[in-house]
Amino acid sequence: MNKYKILKGKLTQYHQEHLLSFFHQLKPGEQEKLLEQIEGIDLQEMEVASRQFTSHRIQQQAKITPIDYESMPHLSKTRRKKLEECGLERIKAGKVAVLLLAGGQGTRLGHDGPKGTVSLGDSSDQSLFALQAKRLRAVEEKAGAKIPWYIMTSPSNDDETKAFFTKNDYFQCDPKQIYFFQQELIPTITSAGKMILESQSEISMAPNGNGGLFSSMKSSGVWDDLQEKEIDWVFLNNIDNALVQVADPLFIGFAEESGAEISSKAVRKRSPDEKVGLLCLANGRPSVVEYSELDAKEVIDQMLINANMGIHLFHITFLEKAINSSLPYHFAHKVIPLIDEYGQHVQVNSPNGYKLEKFYFDVFPLAEKMSVLQVEREKEFAPVKQKTGEDSLESARKRLFKNTKA
Ligand code: UTP
């Protein structure tokens, strides 16, 4: 039996045979490419994900309670010094690595290219990638040791990201300390769970969310590398915070001292209805709860004030559990370019389909304990989510400029 027949049979079994509707109108090269794309899709996983989608609304509510935290401004000078020394010692001993999440599409910002290439000033020296590299080098200098830097991209932005690093001479980092690895893509779906055709010969795909991190660490060899290097702590951060203190030694000392498997930095929530995830306990386990899952009253009642900044230290024992676990999918309602049943491109102006995303923090309940350090928003948090307004390129520029002047 030829490849077409086998795949058609499989697709029919999973009610996705529409993907081959235009097959016979395609050129031989396009036919081959489409069959290859279908072969690369885990149809069973898609089926499970679609089922999660339809049962999404009837999930059981967990009991949400606040999590203990310490506040940076309240730490004494002596304690800060002690924590920082401890962190620097861990770095010097080669026990710390940094992992940057840079696989997102940054659709809200609408920048042409990977988000890390956005500049806060007028040159690539002040791009988000450059700022993080500069801070990493400053810590390395203080500790007198190199820190391995793992950067997660996606097939949609990997080439451009690498080219940006090469063009900018790796921002004076040692190219040997940087390891790029890619997360996976997954098909987008309609509300009926059907995969979407972006053209007659191509299935619409999107990165599988930052929670794709764990399976990709395993498949790319990052996990083996961490073990070979005998790393104890992985510092995880987002690409979009212009003020992130990469590999902050004080925070590493804090994590080490707390004995928790995860340590997270937080900022105080601006208002009960701020659209941000909250660090908390869910049924007594470490968690991040999304703003969409809580109402403002619950936030006040529960005194949930620690907003997730996407800055964490993962102990290797926690990572081992994380890479062997499977995460659920979340469904992001988005504008997805597609064709109609006649094979014509459709003009889409409002969300018409769903991207399937895993969130890295869905594995947090596997940790025995999470310690939280609340830091000052003005000093450490300037996320670039959109061009103007709150959490924007504009507001991040202002905060960064204020901090460099201070
Ligand atoms: P966001 O949730 O802000 O998503 O990512 P985004 O893709 O950057 O922006 P929008 O929602 O499309 O506007 C938070 C962090 O998670 C990473 C991002 O690169 C950012 O560092 N991320 C997100 C990934 O690494 N992979 C993904 O699939 C999604």
Side-chain angles (χ1 to χ4, degrees):
M1 224 197 303
N2 70 19
K3 208 181 201 178
Y4 168 80
K5 276 201 177 142
I6 297 174
L7 289 177
K8 174 110 193 209
K10 272 196 180 165
L11 288 173
T12 310
Q13 190 189 334
Y14 288 98
H15 311 289
Q16 302 287 354
E17 65 277 15
H18 63 285
L19 296 179
L20 288 170
S21 303
F22 306 99
F23 187 79
H24 298 296
Q25 282 146 250
L26 303 177
K27 295 186 190 124
E30 292 174 327
Q31 288 184 333
E32 192 48 40
K33 251 177 109 184
L34 178 60
L35 293 180
E36 257 174 41
Q37 205 187 2
I38 295 169
E39 262 183 324
I41 295 171
D42 185 337
L43 292 171
Q44 202 182 345
E45 189 180 7
M46 288 305 294
E47 163 110 333
V48 173
S50 302
R51 255 191 266 128
Q52 270 175 32
F53 178 59
T54 37
S55 63
H56 193 50
R57 310 228 162 264
I58 40 173
Q59 270 174 14
Q60 274 203 338
Q61 278 285 318
K63 183 171 161 39
I64 306 293
T65 48
I67 189 160
D68 286 344
Y69 68 96
E70 285 200 72
S71 166
M72 180 81 110
H74 295 156
L75 301 184
S76 70
K77 251 191 173 168
T78 336
R79 174 112 187 274
R80 284 189 201 202
K81 191 162 174 272
K82 192 178 142 233
L83 294 178
E84 187 176 346
E85 278 169 6
C86 167
L88 287 171
E89 182 280 317
R90 294 284 73 203
I91 295 170
K92 196 163 180 145
K95 296 293 174 190
V96 181
V98 169
L99 199 154
L100 168 62
L101 298 174
Q105 293 183 305
T107 38
R108 283 168 290 173
L109 181 64
H111 167 70
D112 185 20
K115 209 190 247 188
T117 65
V118 166
S119 180
L120 279 278
D122 40 26
S123 70
S124 48
D125 276 2
Q126 280 165 304
S127 63
L128 288 166
F129 280 134
L131 293 175
Q132 298 202 10
K134 197 160 106 188
R135 301 208 186 105
L136 180 71
R137 281 192 289 107
V139 174
E140 288 180 337
E141 216 160 277
K142 217 167 176 184
K146 288 275 175 213
I147 301 174
W149 194 14
Y150 300 92
I151 301 178
M152 185 172 84
T153 62
S154 85
S156 326
N157 68 14
D158 187 67
D159 288 346
E160 275 183 279
T161 302
K162 286 179 181 157
F164 192 70
F165 271 78
T166 315
K167 189 170 145 223
N168 288 286
D169 202 15
Y170 291 84
F171 307 102
Q172 286 78 57
C173 291
D174 180 350
K176 287 202 286 294
Q177 81 185 96
I178 302 181
Y179 308 80
F180 293 100
F181 69 107
Q182 295 184 46
Q183 66 178 108
E184 286 160 24
L185 297 178
I186 185 160
T188 61
I189 57 170
T190 65
S191 56
K194 299 276 183 201
M195 288 184 240
I196 295 176
L197 275 177
E198 162 180 321
S199 71
Q200 296 189 1
S201 60
E202 215 177 328
I203 301 164
S204 159
M205 308 282 281
N208 61 351
N210 54 28
L213 163 73
F214 302 112
S215 54
S216 295
M217 278 175 83
K218 206 171 173 181
S219 59
S220 65
V222 167
W223 173 243
D224 289 342
D225 202 49
L226 288 172
Q227 283 177 304
E228 226 165 84
K229 291 191 164 71
E230 297 182 14
I231 297 289
D232 281 345
W233 289 106
V234 172
F235 178 98
L236 181 96
N237 71 285
N238 288 349
I239 184 55
D240 52 30
N241 180 4
L243 285 174
V244 58
Q245 301 302 309
V246 182
D248 177 4
L250 187 152
F251 182 45
I252 296 163
F254 176 84
E256 183 81 26
E257 189 195 63
S258 74
E261 283 187 304
I262 304 178
S263 275
S264 300
K265 275 195 182 180
V267 285
R268 207 180 167 88
K269 198 171 157 69
R270 257 190 301 235
S271 64
D273 55 1
E274 183 184 355
K275 289 188 167 60
V276 67
L278 294 168
L279 298 165
C280 61
L281 296 173
N283 294 337
R285 308 293 298 186
S287 284
V288 173
V289 63
E290 279 294 352
Y291 58 85
S292 50
E293 290 165 22
L294 287 170
D295 60 24
K297 185 178 170 304
E298 200 169 355
V299 174
I300 299 168
D301 289 350
Q302 296 291 346
M303 292 294 290
L304 299 173
I305 53 170
N306 284 304
N308 180 28
M309 312 162 66
I311 299 178
H312 312 277
L313 275 158
F314 293 154
H315 195 264
I316 203 79
T317 53
F318 166 73
L319 273 176
E320 179 155 26
K321 291 186 241 179
I323 62 156
N324 290 311
S325 69
S326 92
L327 282 81
Y329 281 104
H330 297 254
F331 302 87
H333 203 196
K334 301 267 177 169
V335 170
I336 296 167
L338 83 176
I339 53 167
D340 60 20
E341 66 266 41
Y342 306 105
Q344 300 301 314
H345 286 279
V346 180
Q347 177 69 32
V348 191
N349 301 313
S350 55
N352 59 329
Y354 293 85
K355 287 187 180 174
L356 275 63
E357 293 189 329
K358 292 178 177 178
F359 295 159
Y360 70 84
F361 48 73
D362 277 337
V363 289
F364 279 20
L366 294 178
E368 287 308 321
K369 186 181 155 195
M370 170 163 74
S371 59
V372 176
L373 182 61
Q374 197 187 81
V375 299
E376 292 167 89
R377 191 184 278 260
E378 291 296 315
K379 291 192 179 153
E380 298 200 31
F381 196 42
V384 178
K385 296 288 183 194
Q386 46 193 347
K387 282 216 164 76
T388 54
E390 225 167 63
D391 296 342
S392 66
L393 187 55
E394 191 182 62
S395 62
R397 272 189 181 130
K398 278 191 198 143
R399 205 167 281 173
L400 180 69
F401 184 59
K402 206 168 136 202
N403 271 280
T404 18
K405 268 180 92 183

